Each structure stands twice: as C-alpha cells, then as structure tokens.
Short mmCIF file of all heavy atoms in Angstrom, two decimals:
data_model
loop_
_atom_site.label_atom_id
_atom_site.label_comp_id
_atom_site.label_asym_id
_atom_site.label_seq_id
_atom_site.Cartn_x
_atom_site.Cartn_y
_atom_site.Cartn_z
N LEU A 1 0.05 -11.04 4.02
CA LEU A 1 -0.56 -10.67 5.22
C LEU A 1 -1.54 -9.53 4.92
O LEU A 1 -2.75 -9.66 5.67
CB LEU A 1 0.45 -10.16 6.24
CG LEU A 1 1.55 -11.14 6.79
CD1 LEU A 1 2.48 -10.40 7.63
CD2 LEU A 1 0.88 -12.33 7.58
N GLN A 2 -1.26 -8.64 4.11
CA GLN A 2 -2.33 -7.61 3.87
C GLN A 2 -3.59 -8.22 3.21
O GLN A 2 -4.68 -7.82 3.55
CB GLN A 2 -1.81 -6.62 2.83
CG GLN A 2 -2.64 -5.40 2.62
CD GLN A 2 -2.15 -4.44 1.61
OE1 GLN A 2 -1.92 -4.81 0.41
NE2 GLN A 2 -1.91 -3.27 2.05
N LEU A 3 -3.50 -9.21 2.38
CA LEU A 3 -4.61 -9.90 1.72
C LEU A 3 -5.47 -10.67 2.75
O LEU A 3 -6.61 -10.74 2.53
CB LEU A 3 -4.03 -10.97 0.64
CG LEU A 3 -3.49 -10.42 -0.66
CD1 LEU A 3 -2.88 -11.41 -1.50
CD2 LEU A 3 -4.53 -9.57 -1.42
N ARG A 4 -4.81 -11.09 3.88
CA ARG A 4 -5.61 -11.69 4.80
C ARG A 4 -5.92 -10.83 6.09
O ARG A 4 -6.51 -11.32 7.01
CB ARG A 4 -4.64 -12.90 5.49
CG ARG A 4 -4.46 -14.07 4.54
CD ARG A 4 -3.39 -15.04 5.00
NE ARG A 4 -3.37 -16.24 4.28
CZ ARG A 4 -2.65 -16.42 3.24
NH1 ARG A 4 -1.92 -15.36 2.61
NH2 ARG A 4 -2.59 -17.62 2.57
N ASP A 5 -5.75 -9.50 5.79
CA ASP A 5 -6.01 -8.60 6.81
C ASP A 5 -5.35 -8.80 8.18
O ASP A 5 -5.99 -8.59 9.28
CB ASP A 5 -7.47 -8.44 7.13
CG ASP A 5 -8.25 -7.74 5.90
OD1 ASP A 5 -7.59 -6.90 5.20
OD2 ASP A 5 -9.42 -8.19 5.60
N ILE A 6 -4.10 -9.41 8.14
CA ILE A 6 -3.38 -9.59 9.42
C ILE A 6 -2.55 -8.33 9.83
O ILE A 6 -1.89 -7.82 8.99
CB ILE A 6 -2.39 -10.75 9.13
CG1 ILE A 6 -3.19 -12.03 8.61
CG2 ILE A 6 -1.68 -11.17 10.47
CD1 ILE A 6 -4.26 -12.56 9.41
N PRO A 7 -2.66 -7.89 11.09
CA PRO A 7 -1.94 -6.69 11.49
C PRO A 7 -0.44 -6.93 11.29
O PRO A 7 0.14 -7.91 11.71
CB PRO A 7 -2.35 -6.55 12.97
CG PRO A 7 -3.61 -7.25 13.10
CD PRO A 7 -3.54 -8.43 12.06
N LEU A 8 0.31 -5.82 10.83
CA LEU A 8 1.71 -5.88 10.63
C LEU A 8 2.35 -4.63 11.05
O LEU A 8 1.94 -3.53 10.67
CB LEU A 8 1.97 -6.07 9.08
CG LEU A 8 3.50 -5.98 8.65
CD1 LEU A 8 4.37 -6.96 9.33
CD2 LEU A 8 3.57 -6.07 7.20
N VAL A 9 3.33 -4.66 11.93
CA VAL A 9 4.14 -3.63 12.34
C VAL A 9 5.55 -3.81 11.69
O VAL A 9 6.16 -4.82 11.79
CB VAL A 9 4.37 -3.57 13.94
CG1 VAL A 9 5.28 -2.41 14.31
CG2 VAL A 9 3.01 -3.42 14.59
N SER A 10 5.98 -2.73 11.05
CA SER A 10 7.34 -2.75 10.37
C SER A 10 8.25 -1.78 10.98
O SER A 10 7.79 -0.72 11.41
CB SER A 10 7.21 -2.54 8.94
OG SER A 10 6.73 -1.23 8.60
N ILE A 11 9.46 -2.15 11.08
CA ILE A 11 10.50 -1.22 11.46
C ILE A 11 11.56 -1.08 10.40
O ILE A 11 12.13 -2.02 9.96
CB ILE A 11 11.27 -1.69 12.73
CG1 ILE A 11 10.24 -1.85 13.88
CG2 ILE A 11 12.38 -0.72 13.12
CD1 ILE A 11 10.78 -2.48 15.15
N THR A 12 11.62 0.09 9.68
CA THR A 12 12.48 0.34 8.55
C THR A 12 13.21 1.63 8.73
O THR A 12 12.85 2.45 9.57
CB THR A 12 11.55 0.38 7.27
OG1 THR A 12 10.89 1.55 7.25
CG2 THR A 12 10.76 -0.91 7.19
N LYS A 13 14.09 1.75 7.77
CA LYS A 13 14.80 3.08 7.74
C LYS A 13 13.83 3.97 7.05
O LYS A 13 12.97 3.72 6.28
CB LYS A 13 16.04 2.89 6.67
CG LYS A 13 16.80 4.36 6.55
CD LYS A 13 17.95 3.96 5.57
CE LYS A 13 18.71 5.23 5.22
NZ LYS A 13 19.87 4.96 4.21
N LEU A 14 13.88 5.29 7.50
CA LEU A 14 12.88 6.29 6.92
C LEU A 14 13.32 6.68 5.50
O LEU A 14 14.16 7.35 5.16
CB LEU A 14 12.94 7.62 7.77
CG LEU A 14 12.08 8.73 7.18
CD1 LEU A 14 10.62 8.34 7.15
CD2 LEU A 14 12.28 10.04 8.10
N HIS A 15 12.44 6.12 4.60
CA HIS A 15 12.54 6.48 3.12
C HIS A 15 11.33 5.77 2.47
O HIS A 15 10.70 4.83 3.17
CB HIS A 15 13.80 5.99 2.39
CG HIS A 15 13.99 4.58 2.30
ND1 HIS A 15 13.94 3.86 1.20
CD2 HIS A 15 14.26 3.58 3.33
CE1 HIS A 15 14.11 2.55 1.42
NE2 HIS A 15 14.28 2.45 2.64
N ASP A 16 10.99 6.16 1.33
CA ASP A 16 9.93 5.52 0.64
C ASP A 16 10.23 4.07 0.41
O ASP A 16 11.13 3.75 -0.31
CB ASP A 16 9.71 6.41 -0.77
CG ASP A 16 8.71 5.65 -1.58
OD1 ASP A 16 7.78 5.13 -1.06
OD2 ASP A 16 8.71 5.77 -2.84
N ASN A 17 9.34 3.18 0.95
CA ASN A 17 9.61 1.78 0.76
C ASN A 17 8.28 0.98 0.76
O ASN A 17 7.31 1.45 1.30
CB ASN A 17 10.69 1.19 1.78
CG ASN A 17 10.09 1.20 3.17
OD1 ASN A 17 9.33 0.26 3.55
ND2 ASN A 17 10.33 2.21 3.95
N THR A 18 8.36 -0.16 0.10
CA THR A 18 7.15 -0.96 -0.23
C THR A 18 6.64 -1.57 1.16
O THR A 18 5.38 -1.61 1.39
CB THR A 18 7.47 -2.13 -1.04
OG1 THR A 18 8.00 -1.61 -2.32
CG2 THR A 18 6.19 -2.96 -1.39
N LEU A 19 7.55 -2.06 2.07
CA LEU A 19 7.05 -2.65 3.22
C LEU A 19 6.33 -1.65 4.18
O LEU A 19 5.22 -2.03 4.77
CB LEU A 19 8.21 -3.17 4.12
CG LEU A 19 7.90 -3.80 5.36
CD1 LEU A 19 6.93 -4.92 5.33
CD2 LEU A 19 9.26 -4.25 6.10
N ALA A 20 6.67 -0.52 4.26
CA ALA A 20 6.12 0.56 5.06
C ALA A 20 4.65 0.86 4.60
O ALA A 20 3.71 0.98 5.30
CB ALA A 20 6.88 1.82 5.14
N SER A 21 4.58 0.82 3.26
CA SER A 21 3.20 1.14 2.61
C SER A 21 2.30 0.02 2.92
O SER A 21 1.09 0.17 2.80
CB SER A 21 3.38 1.43 1.11
OG SER A 21 3.80 0.34 0.48
N LEU A 22 2.76 -1.25 3.06
CA LEU A 22 1.97 -2.36 3.23
C LEU A 22 1.55 -2.59 4.67
O LEU A 22 0.83 -3.53 5.07
CB LEU A 22 2.59 -3.62 2.66
CG LEU A 22 2.81 -3.60 1.11
CD1 LEU A 22 3.70 -4.90 0.73
CD2 LEU A 22 1.37 -3.79 0.47
N SER A 23 2.20 -1.96 5.65
CA SER A 23 2.06 -2.22 7.06
C SER A 23 0.93 -1.49 7.74
O SER A 23 0.45 -0.48 7.26
CB SER A 23 3.42 -1.70 7.72
OG SER A 23 4.63 -2.43 7.24
N THR A 24 0.43 -2.06 8.77
CA THR A 24 -0.66 -1.52 9.54
C THR A 24 0.00 -0.28 10.27
O THR A 24 -0.62 0.79 10.41
CB THR A 24 -1.21 -2.51 10.51
OG1 THR A 24 -1.59 -3.70 9.91
CG2 THR A 24 -2.45 -1.84 11.26
N VAL A 25 1.14 -0.47 10.83
CA VAL A 25 1.87 0.52 11.49
C VAL A 25 3.38 0.47 11.13
O VAL A 25 3.91 -0.62 10.97
CB VAL A 25 1.77 0.37 13.02
CG1 VAL A 25 2.70 1.39 13.75
CG2 VAL A 25 0.33 0.52 13.49
N ASN A 26 3.93 1.58 10.70
CA ASN A 26 5.29 1.67 10.38
C ASN A 26 6.16 2.50 11.48
O ASN A 26 5.73 3.69 11.66
CB ASN A 26 5.59 2.23 9.04
CG ASN A 26 7.04 2.48 8.66
OD1 ASN A 26 7.50 3.51 8.43
ND2 ASN A 26 7.85 1.35 8.74
N LEU A 27 7.09 1.80 12.04
CA LEU A 27 8.06 2.60 13.02
C LEU A 27 9.28 2.74 12.15
O LEU A 27 9.87 1.80 11.66
CB LEU A 27 8.30 1.78 14.25
CG LEU A 27 6.95 1.46 15.09
CD1 LEU A 27 7.36 0.61 16.26
CD2 LEU A 27 6.23 2.74 15.49
N TYR A 28 9.79 4.03 12.12
CA TYR A 28 10.95 4.23 11.28
C TYR A 28 12.09 4.84 12.03
O TYR A 28 11.82 5.42 13.11
CB TYR A 28 10.57 5.16 10.11
CG TYR A 28 10.08 6.55 10.56
CD1 TYR A 28 11.10 7.51 10.82
CD2 TYR A 28 8.87 6.81 10.75
CE1 TYR A 28 10.75 8.82 11.32
CE2 TYR A 28 8.49 8.11 11.26
CZ TYR A 28 9.46 9.07 11.53
OH TYR A 28 9.05 10.34 11.93
N VAL A 29 13.33 4.73 11.48
CA VAL A 29 14.53 5.29 12.29
C VAL A 29 15.29 5.95 11.07
O VAL A 29 15.14 5.61 9.92
CB VAL A 29 15.29 4.27 13.06
CG1 VAL A 29 14.63 3.74 14.19
CG2 VAL A 29 15.75 3.13 12.10
N SER A 30 16.20 6.85 11.57
CA SER A 30 17.13 7.57 10.55
C SER A 30 18.55 7.19 11.03
O SER A 30 19.17 7.94 11.75
CB SER A 30 16.89 8.97 10.53
OG SER A 30 15.47 9.15 10.12
N PRO A 31 19.21 6.10 10.57
CA PRO A 31 20.51 5.86 10.80
C PRO A 31 21.45 7.02 10.17
O PRO A 31 21.08 7.75 9.29
CB PRO A 31 20.80 4.52 10.07
CG PRO A 31 19.48 3.91 9.81
CD PRO A 31 18.57 5.19 9.46
N ALA A 32 22.72 7.11 10.69
CA ALA A 32 23.57 8.09 10.07
C ALA A 32 24.98 7.55 9.79
O ALA A 32 25.33 6.46 10.55
CB ALA A 32 23.77 9.27 11.14
N ARG A 33 25.66 8.03 8.89
CA ARG A 33 26.99 7.53 8.50
C ARG A 33 28.04 8.61 9.09
O ARG A 33 27.80 9.78 8.97
CB ARG A 33 27.26 7.34 7.05
CG ARG A 33 26.31 6.09 6.48
CD ARG A 33 26.54 6.04 4.98
NE ARG A 33 25.74 5.00 4.52
CZ ARG A 33 26.12 3.67 4.44
NH1 ARG A 33 27.34 3.35 4.83
NH2 ARG A 33 25.37 2.69 3.80
N PHE A 34 29.12 8.14 9.51
CA PHE A 34 30.24 8.89 10.10
C PHE A 34 31.58 8.58 9.42
O PHE A 34 31.88 7.45 9.45
CB PHE A 34 30.36 8.80 11.62
CG PHE A 34 29.08 9.19 12.35
CD1 PHE A 34 28.08 8.21 12.47
CD2 PHE A 34 28.86 10.46 12.80
CE1 PHE A 34 26.85 8.66 13.27
CE2 PHE A 34 27.77 10.81 13.41
CZ PHE A 34 26.75 10.00 13.62
N GLN A 35 32.26 9.48 8.91
CA GLN A 35 33.58 9.26 8.21
C GLN A 35 34.65 9.23 9.34
O GLN A 35 34.95 10.37 9.86
CB GLN A 35 33.86 10.39 7.15
CG GLN A 35 35.06 10.05 6.42
CD GLN A 35 34.78 8.84 5.51
OE1 GLN A 35 33.73 8.75 4.82
NE2 GLN A 35 35.76 7.94 5.52
N LEU A 36 35.11 8.05 9.75
CA LEU A 36 36.14 8.05 10.78
C LEU A 36 37.55 8.22 10.31
O LEU A 36 38.43 8.57 11.02
CB LEU A 36 35.96 6.58 11.40
CG LEU A 36 34.54 6.36 12.09
CD1 LEU A 36 34.65 4.97 12.81
CD2 LEU A 36 34.09 7.34 12.97
N ASP A 37 37.72 8.07 8.98
CA ASP A 37 39.05 8.02 8.43
C ASP A 37 39.06 9.18 7.38
O ASP A 37 38.04 9.71 7.01
CB ASP A 37 39.52 6.83 7.79
CG ASP A 37 39.41 5.62 8.83
OD1 ASP A 37 40.24 5.61 9.66
OD2 ASP A 37 38.52 4.76 8.79
N LYS A 38 40.29 9.49 6.88
CA LYS A 38 40.33 10.40 5.84
C LYS A 38 39.63 10.00 4.57
O LYS A 38 39.64 8.87 4.18
CB LYS A 38 41.79 10.75 5.50
CG LYS A 38 42.60 11.41 6.63
CD LYS A 38 43.94 11.80 6.16
CE LYS A 38 44.82 12.42 7.26
NZ LYS A 38 46.20 12.72 6.84
N GLU A 39 38.80 10.90 3.99
CA GLU A 39 38.20 10.53 2.75
C GLU A 39 39.11 10.14 1.56
O GLU A 39 40.21 10.77 1.47
CB GLU A 39 37.31 11.73 2.25
CG GLU A 39 36.08 11.99 3.21
CD GLU A 39 35.19 13.10 2.58
OE1 GLU A 39 34.88 12.93 1.45
OE2 GLU A 39 34.73 13.85 3.37
N GLY A 40 38.72 9.10 0.84
CA GLY A 40 39.58 8.67 -0.19
C GLY A 40 40.69 7.62 0.18
O GLY A 40 41.38 7.11 -0.61
N ASP A 41 40.57 7.16 1.44
CA ASP A 41 41.46 6.05 1.84
C ASP A 41 40.86 4.64 1.61
O ASP A 41 41.50 3.63 1.79
CB ASP A 41 41.83 6.27 3.28
CG ASP A 41 40.62 5.96 4.23
OD1 ASP A 41 39.49 5.80 3.74
OD2 ASP A 41 40.90 5.92 5.42
N GLY A 42 39.68 4.70 1.01
CA GLY A 42 38.99 3.36 0.54
C GLY A 42 38.09 2.76 1.73
O GLY A 42 37.44 1.80 1.34
N ARG A 43 38.09 3.27 2.87
CA ARG A 43 37.35 2.73 3.91
C ARG A 43 35.99 3.30 3.85
O ARG A 43 35.83 4.49 3.83
CB ARG A 43 38.03 2.96 5.25
CG ARG A 43 39.39 2.13 5.45
CD ARG A 43 39.84 2.38 6.74
NE ARG A 43 41.14 1.82 7.03
CZ ARG A 43 41.86 1.65 8.23
NH1 ARG A 43 41.25 2.26 9.29
NH2 ARG A 43 42.94 1.15 8.32
N PRO A 44 34.96 2.38 4.03
CA PRO A 44 33.65 2.98 4.10
C PRO A 44 33.29 3.56 5.39
O PRO A 44 33.90 3.39 6.24
CB PRO A 44 32.78 1.65 3.97
CG PRO A 44 33.60 0.59 4.54
CD PRO A 44 34.98 0.98 4.16
N PRO A 45 32.39 4.65 5.34
CA PRO A 45 31.95 5.29 6.55
C PRO A 45 31.31 4.29 7.58
O PRO A 45 30.82 3.21 7.24
CB PRO A 45 30.93 6.38 6.10
CG PRO A 45 31.04 6.40 4.69
CD PRO A 45 31.58 5.14 4.18
#
C-alpha cells in the first residue's frame, strides 16, 4: 500500500512496530495484564 501511496490507518499495541511505521496514521492502545490467581500456579495473567 505504501508503494502505491494508498492511505492506511493502523490500530496496534503501543510499541515500536513495522506496521505503525508504514501507516499514514497509527492509532495505538496500551493493553494491561492482571494477575487474577496466585503467582506460580501456572495460569497466565
């Protein structure tokens, strides 16, 4: 799309990434992880 000068809006997690750098406009968000169980029980946040 960039080679063709086609406008691109991307929605990504906020961090250094290739898609954001190639986009006309980047909208970013910052997800968060929450530990619901005791740490070490093997369950992911």
Side-chain angles (χ1 to χ4, degrees):
L1 294 175
Q2 187 184 61
L3 289 173
R4 292 172 168 81
D5 291 326
I6 309 300
L8 169 61
V9 178
S10 63
I11 299 176
T12 67
K13 180 179 177 182
L14 175 57
H15 68 109
D16 174 28
N17 68 86
T18 303
L19 176 59
S21 67
L22 293 170
S23 303
T24 312
V25 176
N26 173 240
L27 303 177
Y28 64 87
V29 294
S30 300
R33 293 178 180 271
F34 299 85
Q35 190 66 48
L36 303 184
D37 305 287
K38 293 181 179 180
E39 293 188 37
D41 66 357
R43 296 186 182 184

